[in-house]
Amino acid sequence: AVGARVVQGNRYAGVSACWRIVLLAANVLCATASGQTPFVDDAGRRVELPPRVDRVFSAGAPAEVLLYTLVPEKLAGRNMQPPLAALELIPPQFRELRAITNLPDRDDPRYDAEVLELDVDVYVDYGTVDEDYVAALEAISNRTHIPSVILDGGLARIPAVYRRLGAALDVAERGSQLAEEAQRLIDKYRGTLATTSSRVYLACSQNGLSPCYRGHSAGEAADLLGATNVAGDLATAPRRPLTLDEIRILNPDVIIAANRDAAAAILADPGWSGIAAVAAGRVHTPPTLPFNWGPRPPSVNRLPGLIWLAYVLQERDFDAAFFADARSFFTAFYHVTPTDEQLRGLIQEPR
């Protein structure tokens, strides 16, 4: 693997604008001459990637899902093992990728062994872009000499990520195709609930008392649809779980629980029964296969969840248009075309 060389933003402080242009051009020419490809990631880091990328390594679950959709044949291994029930939705050639036991750690080089053994070309992180994640990425890259990039995992930014990463990983055409399909789905469902009175409580924790707020990745799908997130904004949220009385006052029409066990517990708990959504049985959980359709992990798996949520929040029957969009997503991103029967099984909620 070729070592990363990151050009810091203040490298040319004090040099005239003219000389900056000359020096930058010289850097690009040198990189081209050595066969390396410059790439500017979403932290503004200029990283030189190898001219050919055959093996990629994900920094975590969001990047792993992204890379599986884009370059499954280049994915060096899988840290997030799919459950047995997911295998029928994963092509045979991608079912037994090498299991990654330990992801690299910012401060402990002992966990570098697996990524070094796999001799990967690029290390990819995807999700939140902040100082902590960038510092961890650079520490690992500096130790292992593996070029690393970090990309913004925002839901609306998915098309741009596919175009840029596809070009960087030598699959520009596929990246463009996925970008177009992602943009189609986002454009189709954006604002579809803006003129409705859909009031949703997104329960992020297992006990349901910690909500997913507007402005957080876990609340992006509801935000994009135009639904009213009754918990409000992350910036003004209380730094504690809510009480049942507070949730009752919020008066949601629908509750989206973290998982099926959490939904069952909410429906069975007498303390929640005074909340109208619970009394009406409007407590739902996103499908989970082959990857969760909800916000965990906060990756491109949220796109089919966007479709699902648009229907659930409006109490719409899952119609031919739903199945067409869900199937189109699976075919494009998950490399498999499910039948209507399989899709019905995925969206079926136990009652």
Side-chain angles (χ1 to χ4, degrees):
V2 181
R5 184 162 69 83
V6 178
V7 177
Q8 301 297 333
N10 63 352
R11 179 185 176 105
Y12 303 124
V15 182
S16 70
C18 181
W19 275 107
R20 290 185 188 185
I21 294 172
V22 172
L23 290 171
L24 181 58
N27 274 345
V28 172
L29 287 172
C30 288
T32 303
S34 66
Q36 294 177 320
T37 303
F39 180 87
V40 179
D41 69 10
D42 287 337
R45 302 162 61 250
R46 183 175 178 277
V47 182
E48 291 172 8
L49 302 180
R52 174 171 171 169
V53 176
D54 293 318
R55 292 168 74 76
V56 294
F57 193 98
S58 66
E64 187 172 304
V65 176
L66 171 68
L67 292 171
Y68 174 75
T69 62
L70 180 63
V71 285
E73 71 284 356
K74 298 186 180 190
L75 193 56
R78 180 182 279 131
N79 179 250
M80 183 177 64
Q81 298 303 315
L84 188 63
L87 294 184
E88 69 174 22
L89 298 169
I90 297 176
Q93 67 270 32
F94 304 135
R95 290 177 186 171
E96 297 184 3
L97 297 179
R98 170 167 171 163
I100 305 298
T101 304
N102 295 305
L103 294 173
D105 181 82
R106 169 178 175 166
D107 302 312
D108 195 338
R110 292 178 299 173
Y111 295 106
D112 295 344
E114 286 180 274
V115 68
L116 290 171
E117 180 184 343
L118 289 167
D119 191 29
V120 300
D121 299 305
V122 182
Y123 182 78
V124 179
D125 199 0
Y126 179 58
T128 301
V129 179
D130 62 21
E131 290 183 2
D132 288 339
Y133 282 106
V134 172
L137 196 73
E138 292 189 338
I140 294 164
S141 185
N142 289 338
R143 276 200 319 263
T144 61
H145 305 293
I146 299 171
S148 63
V149 300
I150 185 167
L151 298 166
D152 189 329
L155 187 61
R157 292 179 60 88
I158 288 175
V161 167
Y162 274 121
R163 287 193 178 91
R164 297 180 63 223
L165 190 59
L169 300 184
D170 307 324
V171 289
E173 183 178 355
R174 174 155 177 79
S176 293
Q177 291 170 348
L178 294 182
E180 289 174 6
E181 178 63 7
Q183 193 67 62
R184 182 187 74 82
L185 292 172
I186 289 170
D187 289 345
K188 178 175 179 178
Y189 289 95
R190 187 195 302 272
T192 54
L193 303 184
T195 59
T196 71
S197 58
S198 297
R199 296 171 51 81
V200 60
Y201 177 79
L202 306 170
C204 266
S205 61
Q206 189 67 18
N207 66 6
L209 299 178
S210 295
C212 308
Y213 292 98
R214 187 168 54 247
H216 187 272
S217 62
E220 280 188 291
D223 292 348
L224 193 146
L225 291 172
T228 299
N229 184 337
V230 297
D233 293 312
L234 179 63
T236 57
R239 304 300 180 187
R240 58 168 176 78
L242 302 183
T243 66
L244 283 175
D245 282 341
E246 287 174 320
I247 298 172
R248 190 176 296 110
I249 291 170
L250 293 174
N251 192 31
D253 301 314
V254 187
I255 294 174
I256 305 298
N259 53 54
R260 289 184 174 182
D261 288 343
I266 288 172
L267 288 166
D269 186 342
W272 285 82
S273 61
I275 297 171
V278 178
R282 297 195 66 190
V283 180
H284 302 281
T285 55
T288 59
L289 299 175
F291 307 104
N292 197 303
W293 295 27
R296 292 188 178 90
S299 189
V300 298
N301 50 288
R302 292 178 294 167
L303 285 174
L306 183 71
I307 307 168
W308 174 85
L309 193 61
Y311 276 76
V312 167
L313 295 187
Q314 296 181 87
E315 291 190 282
R316 287 178 61 186
D317 291 335
F318 295 111
D319 56 16
F322 170 86
F323 287 108
D325 280 340
R327 185 180 302 106
S328 178
F329 174 87
F330 269 71
T331 301
F333 293 83
Y334 289 166
H335 324 290
V336 65
T337 301
T339 64
D340 279 3
E341 183 180 359
Q342 286 176 308
L343 288 172
R344 287 192 187 95
L346 296 181
I347 61 178
Q348 181 71 38
E349 295 186 70
R351 289 298 182 199

